[in-house]
Amino acid sequence: MGRHKVKYKRRRQGKTDYRARLRLCTQDKNKYNTPKYRLVVRFTNTDVVCQVAYATLSGDVVVSAAYAHELPNYGLKVGLTNYAAAYCTGLLLARRVLTKFGLAETYEGNTGSPGEDYNVDASDEGPRPFVCILDAGLKRTSTGSKVFAALKGALDGGLDIPHNEKRFVGYSKDGKELDSEVLRKYIMGGHVAEYMEQMKEEEPEKFQAHFSQYLKEGLEADDLEDLYTKVNAYALVVLM
């Protein structure tokens, strides 16, 4: 008679993929007790959660965290779960982590166009970049997913994360190249602006209800790019 082995609690709840977690947390033995840092990205109905954490026998230790509900402090009060907000949250987390480890001045992040793929270069004189790996949890990692918006924000903030540009929005499977203009448009809320203009023209009543919070803040479609530019600029100079 066989014994039934009960699965782990978080597996029964459908919260943790232990097969993936094992591979994310397992550290090489020749690295002894060196933490293996993970960029943890999670989404709720009303928030974006970005954390840098590492695993121990007694549980995960969170080094630093950033949340989309903090973005109103930087000027963004609406649309806290869209692609652009996920980018801002990842950017904010990156600057906090680098500040905590004293790397913020050495690695300033991406100062060019956010639409270009950015890889941090190691400093010849100072310490090496902060390295971590993406932990997307149970979220499906399809091309254009908001998980990769948070990843792009963390990359532009100065973190060294193994990645491939094929998963960013704007990558063409047929052309096999990344359209930097499309990626920049999404980071700057251009897709939201286009939808606002389309709905305002075709369904004015629905527009008033759907974008009521935007209108309450006095935001029109033409204002979004300037807004996200300012929010990203504030996040880049954040100290903690």
Side-chain angles (χ1 to χ4, degrees):
M1 183 175 179
R3 287 173 174 263
H4 174 67
K5 184 177 180 181
V6 179
K7 296 184 184 297
Y8 291 142
K9 180 179 178 180
R10 289 184 62 87
R11 172 61 188 87
R12 299 198 307 269
Q13 295 173 338
K15 292 181 178 180
T16 298
D17 180 352
Y18 280 100
R19 179 182 173 85
R21 179 178 168 81
L22 178 66
R23 285 152 181 76
L24 287 169
C25 298
T26 303
Q27 181 65 293
D28 297 335
K29 283 190 174 181
N30 63 357
K31 294 183 180 178
Y32 299 95
N33 204 29
T34 304
K36 190 171 186 177
Y37 294 105
R38 311 191 319 273
L39 171 65
V40 181
V41 181
R42 300 289 185 270
F43 292 87
T44 71
N45 289 340
T46 58
D47 209 358
V48 180
V49 180
C50 293
Q51 299 173 333
V52 168
Y54 63 91
T56 67
L57 290 176
S58 58
D60 283 7
V61 176
V62 177
V63 176
S64 187
Y67 303 89
H69 68 248
E70 297 178 70
L71 296 179
N73 299 331
Y74 300 91
L76 183 62
K77 299 181 180 180
V78 292
L80 299 182
T81 56
N82 61 25
Y83 198 95
Y87 174 87
C88 294
T89 309
L91 183 66
L92 180 62
L93 172 66
R95 301 314 299 167
R96 283 182 174 170
V97 171
L98 294 181
T99 301
K100 184 170 185 175
F101 287 97
L103 300 172
E105 294 184 1
T106 306
Y107 298 102
E108 297 180 353
N110 184 11
T111 56
S113 171
E116 300 289 342
D117 188 19
Y118 177 77
N119 292 281
V120 62
D121 295 323
S123 173
D124 294 331
E125 300 177 358
R128 289 184 293 178
F130 184 90
V131 180
C132 56
I133 54 177
L134 177 64
D135 181 347
L138 300 178
K139 189 165 178 63
R140 186 160 296 184
T141 52
S142 53
T143 299
S145 171
K146 290 188 292 184
V147 167
F148 301 111
L151 169 67
K152 183 66 168 71
L155 290 168
D156 286 354
L159 298 187
D160 187 2
I161 308 171
H163 68 284
N164 194 318
E165 66 177 18
K166 291 182 179 180
R167 283 290 173 253
F168 293 142
V169 65
Y171 181 81
S172 173
K173 189 176 180 180
D174 297 328
K176 295 185 178 180
E177 62 179 358
L178 177 67
D179 189 335
S180 59
E181 289 299 318
V182 174
L183 178 56
R184 184 185 182 281
K185 182 183 77 171
Y186 273 74
I187 290 174
M188 292 301 174
H191 61 303
V192 179
E194 286 182 359
Y195 188 48
M196 287 179 72
E197 292 175 345
Q198 179 185 352
M199 185 178 289
K200 185 176 182 179
E201 181 180 342
E202 297 177 358
E203 301 176 273
E205 294 182 1
K206 186 177 179 182
F207 169 76
Q208 294 291 334
H210 196 80
F211 289 100
S212 59
Q213 295 301 313
Y214 285 75
L215 298 176
K216 185 178 178 181
E217 296 295 331
L219 292 173
E220 295 289 343
D222 297 335
D223 302 327
L224 294 185
E225 182 171 344
D226 291 338
L227 173 63
Y228 285 114
T229 301
K230 291 178 182 177
V231 173
N232 292 338
Y234 289 149
L236 273 173
V237 298
V238 70
L239 294 180
M240 279 299 282

